[in-house]
Amino acid sequence: MQPLMTKNFITLLFYFVFCLFTLSVTCQDSDLETDCTNRWIHIRRLPPQFNLDLLSNCSKYPLFDDFCPYLANHGLGKKTHNKSHSWYRTDPFMLELIFHRRMLDYPCLTSDPSLANAIYVPYYGGLDSLRFLYGPEVNSSYQHGLDLYEYLVHGDLPDVWSRHYGHDHFMVMARPAWDFSQPLNSDPLYFGTSFLELPEFYNVTALTLEGRAYPWQEQAIPYPTSFHPPNLAFFESWVNRVRRSRRTALMLFAGGGGISANPNVRRSIRLECDNVTSLSANGTGYDKLCDFVDCSNGVCQHDPIRFMKPMLQASFCLQPPGDTPTRRSTFDGILAGCIPVFFEDLSAKKQYGWHLPGEKYEEFSVFISKEDVVFKGLSIVDVLTSIPRSQVRRMREKVLEMMPRVMYIKHGSSLGLRTKKDAFDIAVEGTLERIKSRLQEVAAQ
């Protein structure tokens, strides 16, 4: 009975927050008008079947996971320990909840959709996809989203949709876009739904954890990490700890895979790491050349203690692609001041342009071609040790500058901390600019 009580409590808590929002939005309409030019957002009201009711299914899909424990604190999850103020056991698939709760704090909300520059659709598309990916509707995955479209077009306030036919609408879908990209005529069906293939949603901006190689309607935004500070003091305290941390290892790989005989970059990394452990690090300024944290079978996903301390002690964090090009570990490493090492552009550079500007990658990261590592025997250790220590220090300072851009601060955070733009703020700004550009293009046609 305990999981059911937890689920009901969380659902009721979300309803309570919505009630508070309804009472306060009128004040927001009038108080911040001069500060909100071109920034007004209207939140479309959806029946709970599209968001809150989905939370009650948190233990319904055993092939996926029981995500009931990660619904706490509006999707941040439970605290890592009772005295923690900033660290949570956050599941990245809960980004839809996290973003929705942060939207309720957004200062430029309007109850009048005709005044809005953008329309936020609080649809938990990733959670709704579970019934098609792991549930009884696996053979109907081409229908994912059709009920939502029917409501947006013919349900409550249909003129909100028809004003721009979805060009001004946006939503968060907390999975890689590949999971929503199954062709409508796919036979046989493979893993995924067809949400992003539906012509009905071509005009809508979808914020996903990872975009496709040639995205159209989606834009990738950072995976949530476990760090969600509530005020400026806790954030600055962490930054100071990261800056003071002694880097005893040259490089670190925290992850799984790489155990098959087939050539791939993870296998090459693990082999090199095994080989250099017996070599002396004398003259390098490090106690060891490579550190490895085995995160196989998801053991690290909800336990940041396993990997954050090793990241704090390493100069470089290796971020090889896995099942998909991107990794949450990229953002964990940045929060630890660990310089990311990428092996393909789709891992970050071609994904997170809003949050990690492409023209700055050489200032805060290292790129090593995975083909050179796997097929030409290029030594990662040789590449990294060839970088002057003065340059490493400058790169780490750039990583620290990037830190606010990839973290999601806690909802209801202090005014001081809100002066720093976090991943949510940058995602909203990017969405508003994208929608503005789209509407101008449509008007010019």
Side-chain angles (χ1 to χ4, degrees):
M1 290 298 293
Q2 187 174 358
L4 181 61
M5 292 176 61
T6 302
K7 289 182 283 187
N8 290 339
F9 172 75
I10 292 172
T11 303
L12 288 172
L13 187 60
F14 267 75
Y15 276 121
F16 175 70
V17 172
F18 279 121
C19 290
L20 291 179
F21 161 70
T22 303
L23 292 172
S24 64
V25 69
T26 303
C27 298
Q28 290 177 322
D29 285 345
S30 58
D31 291 347
L32 296 172
E33 185 172 0
T34 56
D35 297 326
C36 294
T37 304
N38 298 323
R39 296 177 58 213
W40 290 109
I41 294 178
H42 172 75
I43 300 179
R44 285 210 66 166
R45 296 188 181 221
L46 300 182
Q49 74 186 75
F50 295 115
N51 44 47
L52 302 182
D53 283 357
L54 298 172
L55 306 183
S56 63
N57 298 329
C58 57
S59 60
K60 189 176 179 180
Y61 308 104
L63 291 177
F64 174 64
D65 194 5
D66 179 355
F67 59 88
C68 299
Y70 314 120
L71 298 177
N73 295 302
H74 297 279
L76 301 184
K78 298 178 181 178
K79 294 182 177 181
T80 52
H81 54 278
N82 291 335
K83 294 184 179 180
S84 173
H85 295 281
S86 304
W87 292 91
Y88 298 80
R89 301 188 186 279
T90 304
D91 189 297
F93 292 139
M94 298 301 107
L95 179 58
E96 292 152 354
L97 283 73
I98 296 169
F99 203 96
H100 190 183
R101 178 60 185 87
R102 286 290 304 279
M103 278 302 308
L104 300 183
D105 289 339
Y106 182 69
C108 299
L109 295 176
T110 176
S111 57
D112 185 349
S114 67
L115 300 178
N117 303 104
I119 308 294
Y120 168 58
V121 182
Y123 170 55
Y124 298 169
L127 296 183
D128 195 25
S129 73
L130 296 179
R131 59 191 170 108
F132 301 102
L133 300 178
Y134 303 99
E137 299 177 60
V138 65
N139 293 321
S140 304
S141 54
Y142 62 92
Q143 296 182 350
H144 180 206
L146 291 178
D147 51 352
L148 173 66
Y149 178 78
E150 183 68 20
Y151 177 80
L152 293 175
V153 176
H154 302 294
D156 180 46
L157 301 175
D159 57 316
V160 177
W161 177 271
S162 62
R163 186 162 65 114
H164 295 295
Y165 296 98
H167 281 289
D168 57 346
H169 283 51
F170 74 99
M171 63 182 69
V172 176
M173 304 186 76
R175 297 187 72 89
W178 305 99
D179 291 353
F180 308 114
S181 304
Q182 180 175 230
L184 291 168
N185 58 355
S186 179
D187 186 19
L189 298 174
Y190 58 86
F191 185 83
T193 79
S194 301
F195 189 99
L196 293 178
E197 296 292 320
L198 292 173
E200 290 87 344
F201 287 107
Y202 278 173
N203 296 341
V204 175
T205 295
L207 304 180
T208 60
L209 295 177
E210 177 182 306
R212 293 167 288 185
Y214 300 99
W216 168 245
Q217 67 267 59
E218 79 267 15
Q219 169 64 43
I221 61 176
Y223 288 74
T225 67
S226 295
F227 183 57
H228 310 284
N231 58 49
L232 190 59
F234 284 113
F235 171 70
E236 291 181 341
S237 174
W238 175 253
V239 173
N240 289 333
R241 178 181 175 183
V242 171
R243 183 173 278 116
R244 293 194 309 266
S245 182
R246 182 170 175 263
R247 308 284 164 168
T248 56
L250 170 68
M251 66 184 193
L252 165 77
F253 173 50
I259 57 175
S260 69
N262 296 325
N264 64 78
V265 68
R266 290 194 176 212
R267 179 174 182 270
S268 297
I269 287 171
R270 293 187 66 161
L271 288 174
E272 181 170 357
C273 203
D274 289 342
N275 290 335
V276 300
T277 52
S278 60
L279 299 178
S280 171
N282 291 341
T284 64
Y286 298 100
D287 294 344
K288 52 186 172 180
L289 295 175
C290 184
D291 196 6
F292 171 62
V293 177
D294 190 354
C295 291
S296 301
N297 302 316
V299 296
C300 298
Q301 188 170 11
H302 306 115
D303 189 5
I305 297 172
R306 281 181 179 264
F307 54 83
M308 286 306 293
K309 185 175 181 180
M311 285 182 170
L312 284 167
Q313 295 173 341
S315 276
F316 297 93
C317 283
L318 309 185
Q319 305 297 351
D323 294 335
T324 66
T326 65
R327 306 185 70 212
R328 167 182 166 166
S329 176
T330 295
F331 306 105
D332 294 321
I334 290 175
L335 290 177
C338 192
I339 300 166
V341 179
F342 299 116
F343 298 88
E344 63 175 56
D345 284 341
L346 267 178
S347 290
K349 191 173 185 179
K350 291 185 177 179
Q351 297 279 351
Y352 307 105
W354 291 353
H355 295 79
L356 302 173
E359 68 275 8
K360 294 187 177 181
Y361 268 72
E362 291 185 359
E363 299 177 16
F364 71 87
S365 69
V366 176
F367 179 81
I368 304 174
S369 169
K370 64 182 180 182
E371 288 78 14
D372 288 348
V373 173
V374 176
F375 299 112
K376 297 182 180 180
L378 179 64
S379 167
I380 301 171
V381 168
D382 288 348
V383 173
L384 298 182
T385 53
S386 70
I387 302 174
R389 295 300 291 265
S390 59
Q391 184 178 342
V392 172
R393 286 191 291 271
R394 289 194 298 270
M395 294 175 76
R396 183 172 301 114
E397 282 301 314
K398 286 294 182 181
V399 170
L400 295 183
E401 288 180 17
M402 293 290 179
M403 192 183 296
R405 303 176 66 89
V406 301
M407 70 178 184
Y408 293 88
I409 63 176
K410 187 181 180 183
H411 50 271
S413 59
S414 68
L415 287 174
L417 184 56
R418 275 184 268 169
T419 61
K420 294 185 176 295
K421 292 180 181 179
D422 75 335
F424 168 84
D425 297 321
I426 294 170
V428 169
E429 284 186 0
T431 300
L432 287 166
E433 285 298 317
R434 178 189 176 102
I435 288 174
K436 179 181 177 181
S437 177
R438 281 277 181 89
L439 293 178
Q440 288 174 343
E441 291 174 6
V442 171
Q445 292 175 356

